[in-house]
Amino acid sequence: MARPSPSPSLLVLATVAAAVCLAQPGAADLKVDYYASTCPNVEAIVRGVVQQKMQATIRTIGSTIRLFFHDCFVEGCDGSVLIESTPGNQAEKDASDNKSLAFEGFDMVRSAKAAVEAACPDTVSCADVLALATRDAIAMSGGPFFPMELGRLDGLSSTASSVPGQLPEPNQTMDQLLAVFKAHGLNMSDLVALSAAHSVGLAHCSKFSDRLYKHRPGQPTDPTLNPKYARFLESKCPDGGPDNLVLMDQASPAELDNQYYRNLQDGGGLLGSDELLYTDNRTRPMVDALANSTAAFYKAFADAIVRLGRVGVKSGRRGNIRKQCDVLN
């Protein structure tokens, strides 16, 4: 599953970082070569850990990407989702919307941060380690390789109460989803592109079972679901049964690719918010375009991840560099 260093064809995305306007507060402090003099091997160190973890389990891919998304959408990309709760504070990771974040993502960051600390003590933030691990998980699972801007500081706080309302939900309308993204400085194109992260990973039955059994009175199954796919999901998630985990993409579960969009065209979106991208006339053209072109998908996804990585970046006195990612300094 892991690949060697990215080919020149993928490096066409090297201009991503420079091509998109820095629109987020603190994002102006980010640079691709931020650690060139202070920790020149940081990217190789993190990439080595990512490769090792991905060889152990494919769950590393989706869990790492999802962890980055959840971090950036709550108080910005500052590593605050990594903090453990204490008797006096319930941290972000223990909010109800984050309870399903998988162990593998947290373990990835802990291991990568330890390796980086051994080489460059007190230099690289947990937020940047997570960003690099996410970029490498994307590239090593078949997605694009792109330069990742660095220079984020770690947040000074982490509270569960800051999470509600900040993350998109699978049962939201398109207008609601767009409003959530707009609140973080992101747009419709980012919504469509970033949703392709659902090409990898798993989801609990409870996140989509209403589409199978409780869509509306007299029509229990969501008609936008491919009937064959609906029957398959019913076999994995019996009504009233356990909250099992289901692969989000049955066709290529270990590959971050544009099969995700072809699934939507066939009524194979797992979450309601996935299939909505195809049934809503505003986003369907983008779904069709990305389904038909791997190059277009690579560029759109890389652009969107770079923009996501600029959300709420901490700098100056608003952050610091944690020695241990799960404990506030």
Side-chain angles (χ1 to χ4, degrees):
M1 178 163 42
R3 315 191 295 202
S5 297
S7 66
S9 64
L10 292 185
L11 292 177
V12 68
L13 296 166
T15 58
V16 166
V20 186
C21 175
L22 292 176
Q24 296 290 339
D29 297 304
L30 301 179
K31 297 188 298 181
V32 170
D33 60 351
Y34 187 85
Y35 297 108
S37 61
T38 57
C39 193
N41 295 324
V42 61
E43 295 200 29
I45 294 170
V46 172
R47 188 174 299 121
V49 175
V50 174
Q51 185 171 10
Q52 179 185 29
K53 295 293 184 181
M54 286 180 59
Q55 288 172 341
T57 172
I58 65 168
R59 291 193 63 177
T60 296
I61 307 167
S63 60
T64 302
I65 299 170
R66 188 164 177 244
L67 189 61
F68 183 60
F69 185 91
H70 279 235
D71 184 42
C72 292
F73 262 52
V74 180
E75 303 296 332
C77 307
D78 65 352
S80 54
V81 74
L82 305 170
I83 296 295
E84 294 283 353
S85 295
T86 65
N89 178 64
Q90 187 181 33
E92 283 179 30
K93 69 178 295 187
D94 289 322
S96 59
D97 285 343
N98 285 335
K99 286 284 191 181
S100 61
L101 291 174
F103 163 81
E104 288 81 2
F106 293 101
D107 182 57
M108 163 79 81
V109 177
R110 276 194 295 269
S111 298
K113 173 65 169 176
V116 171
E117 281 294 308
C120 313
D122 305 314
T123 302
V124 181
S125 67
C126 298
D128 276 348
V129 169
L130 174 56
L132 285 173
T134 299
R135 188 273 308 274
D136 292 337
I138 290 167
M140 291 182 193
S141 60
F145 180 88
F146 50 94
M148 178 57 82
E149 297 172 339
L150 302 170
R152 301 165 188 81
L153 290 181
D154 294 323
L156 304 179
S157 64
S158 178
T159 59
S161 61
S162 64
V163 176
Q166 299 301 307
L167 294 161
E169 301 289 347
N171 60 350
Q172 286 180 323
T173 66
M174 180 59 70
D175 286 341
Q176 290 171 326
L177 291 169
L178 291 172
V180 171
F181 272 69
K182 183 178 180 181
H184 295 89
L186 302 173
N187 58 32
M188 185 184 296
S189 296
D190 297 317
L191 166 63
V192 176
L194 290 172
S195 293
H198 291 171
S199 176
V200 291
L202 303 100
H204 285 276
C205 295
S206 57
K207 293 295 184 181
F208 58 85
S209 59
D210 281 1
R211 300 186 70 201
L212 302 173
Y213 306 111
K214 300 177 182 178
H215 178 62
R216 64 167 62 104
Q219 190 178 41
T221 304
D222 185 343
T224 66
L225 265 175
N226 180 301
K228 183 177 179 180
Y229 186 46
R231 301 293 84 77
F232 168 78
L233 293 177
E234 288 171 354
S235 72
K236 297 293 184 181
C237 303
D239 193 13
D243 197 14
N244 296 326
L245 284 167
V246 176
L247 289 168
M248 299 194 78
D249 181 355
Q250 298 294 325
S252 54
E255 295 287 325
L256 200 158
D257 55 18
N258 60 344
Q259 177 65 42
Y260 168 79
Y261 301 105
R262 293 191 285 274
N263 291 343
L264 302 186
Q265 292 173 321
D266 190 42
L270 182 62
L271 306 180
S273 55
D274 290 324
E275 197 58 43
L276 186 60
L277 299 179
Y278 192 67
T279 58
D280 192 289
N281 291 332
R282 289 169 287 183
T283 47
R284 180 183 289 191
M286 286 181 274
V287 170
D288 288 335
L290 297 182
N292 293 332
S293 171
T294 297
F297 162 64
Y298 275 177
K299 186 178 189 308
F301 193 76
D303 285 351
I305 287 287
V306 169
R307 281 193 290 268
L308 174 63
R310 295 170 176 163
V311 173
V313 169
K314 305 296 189 295
S315 60
R317 296 182 178 179
R318 298 178 62 233
N320 58 27
I321 295 174
R322 286 184 221 131
K323 187 82 171 178
Q324 186 176 327
C325 290
D326 58 0
V327 178
L328 292 170
N329 287 356

